[in-house]
Amino acid sequence: MDTDKIILELALNLSKDIYRDSLQPSVQTLGQELEQLVSALKIITLPFAAMGMSSDYLLARFGIFLSRSIQKVKQENRTPPHPSISVPILQNVQLVFDKENLCELYSNLLASASDKTKQSMIHPSFVTIISQLDPLDVLLLEQLRTAAMLPFMEVKSIPKDSASLSYSIVEPFCLIAGHEKDYENIAASLRNLQRLGLLQKSTAMVQANKLDTFQEIYNSAPFASTRNILEKMQREQLSLESTSITAIKGCFVLTVLGRKFLLSCLEPRP
């Protein structure tokens, strides 16, 4: 049986019934609507039995997920979500029911897609983007929601021959509380968020009283070996013949797509 077709029918039923004005947005009502679709959901969830998750367990999680998502939308703003958003959400969310922060992104996206005041900011790529995030990626996005920019430093080898390409010795790194020594994962997350089109580099724009932020980054463990080389070269007045090693300051900021993603998928702070 065509599983995608089943999910599409499920999403269309949800759009038609759960969002109907005459229905009350209660857990009971949502449960009744889900009960009518038990057979379809059990077929959808069959492939996950091998992962130790029963169809009954997943059905219950779907009920919680849908209830929580719809109740985030004011009743007067509720409208059916487009299947291009709701279908892939239902396909993907069951994979992360055990990962609360990722599941919450899907829930917020479904809520935004069901809110007539927010639908215009939704892009179909958002579901795919969530599926390519990990908890550390989400943490970095959370930082940008409040800080607007993330100061970073990187170290590059820049050839004196303009025809040659520069390359990173130390990839861009930001100081994140609890991850000050986690260079590999922070650098990988920053790279992933750029690849997904959510972040972009900008020139350093930091208030004067926060200029020491860059010095803190430079003094952190990931830069130790490069820092020692640069300090030795400066101290002994050494230089490299064909290249220069340069520490670069900058800030990561959200792209337009990134701002829309945060507004759609992260709940606004109270």
Side-chain angles (χ1 to χ4, degrees), residues 141-151 205 251-254:
L141 290 173
E142 288 274 6
Q143 296 284 318
L144 278 164
R145 181 170 63 169
T146 55
M149 60 185 68
L150 285 177
M205 297 179 292
C251 287
F252 281 108
V253 297
L254 293 168

Side-chain angles (χ1 to χ4, degrees), residues 5 18-19 42 49 64 67 91 93 112 116-117 130 135 147 184 187 208 212 217 238 246-247 260-261 269:
K5 183 177 179 181
I18 292 179
Y19 297 85
K42 285 191 174 182
I64 295 169
S67 173
Q91 288 173 315
V93 70
S112 296
K116 62 186 178 184
T117 68
I130 295 174
E184 288 190 356
D212 59 348
I217 298 174
L238 300 174
T246 306
K260 293 175 73 173
F261 181 83
R269 291 194 183 280

Side-chain angles (χ1 to χ4, degrees), residues 45-247:
T45 58
L46 279 177
F48 297 91
M51 299 169 59
M53 295 184 289
S54 70
S55 57
D56 288 338
Y57 165 80
L58 287 170
L59 180 62
R61 294 305 300 265
F62 267 118
I64 295 169
F65 172 78
L66 290 166
S67 173
R68 189 174 73 237
S69 302
I70 304 310
Q71 290 183 21
K72 292 175 181 177
V73 187
K74 292 181 180 179
Q75 189 167 358
E76 63 269 23
N77 292 338
R78 287 177 189 162
T79 187
H82 195 279
S84 66
I85 301 297
S86 58
V87 171
I89 287 176
L90 293 173
Q91 288 173 315
N92 283 279
V93 70
Q94 57 191 320
L95 297 170
V96 294
F97 277 147
D98 61 336
K99 297 179 180 177
E100 185 175 348
N101 56 355
L102 295 177
C103 188
E104 192 66 14
L105 292 183
Y106 285 121
S107 175
N108 294 333
L109 179 57
L110 181 59
S112 296
S114 307
D115 188 331
K116 62 186 178 184
T117 68
K118 295 183 178 180
Q119 276 188 329
S120 61
M121 73 177 71
I122 307 262
H123 192 277
S125 67
F126 288 172
V127 182
T128 303
I129 287 174
I130 295 174
S131 72
Q132 297 178 73
L133 298 177
D134 70 8
L136 185 53
D137 297 331
V138 178
L139 176 61
L140 291 176
L141 290 173
E142 288 274 6
Q143 296 284 318
L144 278 164
R145 181 170 63 169
T146 55
M149 60 185 68
L150 285 177
F152 74 85
M153 286 195 73
E154 63 180 317
V155 177
K156 280 193 169 184
S157 173
I158 302 178
K160 295 178 181 177
D161 175 7
S162 59
S164 302
L165 297 175
S166 63
Y167 64 91
S168 292
I169 298 174
V170 180
E171 292 188 43
F173 178 73
C174 300
L175 282 180
I176 303 297
H179 297 270
E180 293 86 351
K181 297 181 180 180
D182 195 4
Y183 164 71
E184 288 190 356
N185 287 324
I186 291 290
S189 280
L190 291 169
R191 181 73 68 182
N192 187 45
L193 293 172
Q194 290 178 85
R195 178 185 65 83
L196 292 171
L198 302 180
L199 296 190
Q200 63 182 347
K201 288 181 180 179
S202 177
T203 53
M205 297 179 292
V206 179
Q207 296 175 349
N209 62 348
K210 294 184 178 180
L211 286 174
D212 59 348
T213 300
F214 291 108
Q215 192 61 44
E216 290 177 13
I217 298 174
Y218 188 62
N219 289 338
S220 65
F223 291 86
S225 59
T226 305
R227 186 174 61 246
N228 292 337
I229 292 172
L230 290 173
E231 289 176 355
K232 177 180 175 64
M233 291 174 63
Q234 184 177 21
R235 187 170 55 251
E236 299 181 9
Q237 297 184 336
L238 300 174
S239 63
L240 297 174
E241 183 175 336
S242 60
T243 189
S244 62
I245 299 176
T246 306

